[in-house]
Amino acid sequence: AQTVTQSQPEMSVQEAETVTLSCTYDTSESDYYLFWYKQPPSRQMILVIRQEAYKQQNATENRFSVNFQKAAKSFSLKISDSQLGDAAMYFCAYRSVYSGGGADGLTFGKGTHLIIQP
Amino acid sequence: KAGVTQTPRYLIKTRGQQVTLSCSPISGHRSVSWYQQTPGQGLQFLFEYFSETQRNKGNFPGRFSGRQFSNSRSEMNVSTLELGDSALYLCASSLSGLAGGAYEQYFGPGTRLTVT
């Protein structure tokens, strides 16, 4: 079974600064997807960014980018120019590309609470 | 395009009762997954439906069940409710869960279930 670990329960950053959230995962599969989701106080889960394991190029979405290190099984999220609206719980998630058989769906980490200091 | 909708948004039930939660996916999405979110266990996968068939199931007791209709709408049912079933239940839809398909899951606002 796959596991996802987020070692930072809480992070704090000044507005307009850059912050990096860490995520490591454990899997024996070679092909999979990784995601970062944001959950603000409203509890609505919002997809921030995705990364396909077979792609070496790191994904980027505006101020959000990832550092994907497949060999190290590391998938960190960098948020540049932090804004007050970025304050939320951030979840790292893993999804196998192989369907069927046992538990599947997204495997989530425990989350990192990101605080933005004005 | 409308997002994933879940009804009801809030629910209070008594231990021993049963409950049915509903989820309408994004138009065109055929896969629906359900997750349970609690402060202690975090986000846990319940099950996934695709074309009215349960494709995958998480490690939950048989009291948790679900189904999907021909229009891709899904329901999940919890029978004989226990205090520990109090949680936020999230539904997510995606285009396809099959190999080669799109894997992004888009979440609804959730149903907050409180069992007393």
Side-chain angles (χ1 to χ4, degrees):
Chain A
Q2 297 82 23
T3 58
V4 177
T5 302
Q6 293 179 249
S7 58
Q8 306 152 316
E10 187 173 280
M11 292 281 286
S12 182
V13 64
Q14 290 289 130
E15 195 176 1
E17 296 293 304
T18 295
V19 63
T20 299
L21 308 184
S22 301
C23 172
T24 58
Y25 57 95
D26 187 27
T27 183
S28 59
E29 298 174 341
S30 59
D31 200 10
Y32 46 86
Y33 287 82
L34 295 165
F35 304 90
W36 278 98
Y37 281 89
K38 166 185 175 181
Q39 188 177 42
S42 67
R43 311 300 281 175
Q44 175 84 50
M45 293 283 281
I46 300 165
L47 176 64
V48 175
I49 199 165
R50 70 173 240 178
Q51 174 79 44
E52 294 93 332
Y54 65 86
K55 289 186 178 179
Q56 292 186 333
Q57 186 173 5
N58 290 323
T60 299
E61 286 288 341
N62 301 313
R63 297 182 296 107
F64 299 87
S65 62
V66 299
N67 183 4
F68 173 50
Q69 301 291 326
K70 190 173 183 180
K73 295 179 182 175
S74 171
F75 182 60
S76 61
L77 174 70
K78 185 172 82 170
I79 306 174
S80 304
D81 185 25
S82 298
Q83 300 175 0
L84 294 177
D86 295 333
M89 282 293 289
Y90 284 81
F91 293 95
C92 177
Y94 174 104
R95 168 102 193 206
S96 170
V97 302
Y98 307 105
S99 63
D104 204 343
L106 291 169
T107 300
F108 286 91
K110 291 294 187 184
T112 296
H113 182 210
L114 178 63
I115 298 168
I116 310 295
Q117 305 277 9
Chain B
K1 186 182 279 191
V4 179
T5 58
Q6 291 187 246
T7 57
R9 293 292 311 279
Y10 302 91
L11 206 49
I12 300 175
K13 288 287 187 178
T14 303
R15 196 171 51 182
Q17 288 186 315
Q18 75 166 13
V19 66
T20 299
L21 311 182
S22 181
C23 171
S24 292
I26 292 170
S27 178
H29 285 196
R30 297 171 63 193
S31 173
V32 173
S33 298
W34 289 88
Y35 296 85
Q36 181 195 64
Q37 185 176 26
T38 60
Q41 299 299 317
L43 284 149
Q44 293 184 285
F45 170 70
L46 279 157
F47 28 65
E48 177 182 15
Y49 285 87
F50 179 78
S51 292
E52 302 178 65
T53 301
Q54 185 182 89
R55 291 188 337 108
N56 296 294
K57 190 178 192 301
N59 189 25
F60 278 82
R63 301 185 297 107
F64 291 82
S65 63
R67 59 177 176 169
Q68 186 180 34
F69 301 95
S70 58
N71 61 358
S72 294
R73 189 178 70 85
S74 177
E75 289 181 346
M76 70 162 277
N77 183 276
V78 187
S79 63
T80 320
L81 283 165
E82 300 177 0
L83 296 178
D85 297 332
S86 294
L88 180 68
Y89 289 88
L90 293 166
C91 166
S93 76
S94 61
L95 274 171
S96 168
L98 299 175
Y103 283 87
E104 293 97 345
Q105 294 194 351
Y106 296 90
F107 285 79
T111 294
R112 171 72 66 184
L113 172 65
T114 302
V115 182
T116 62

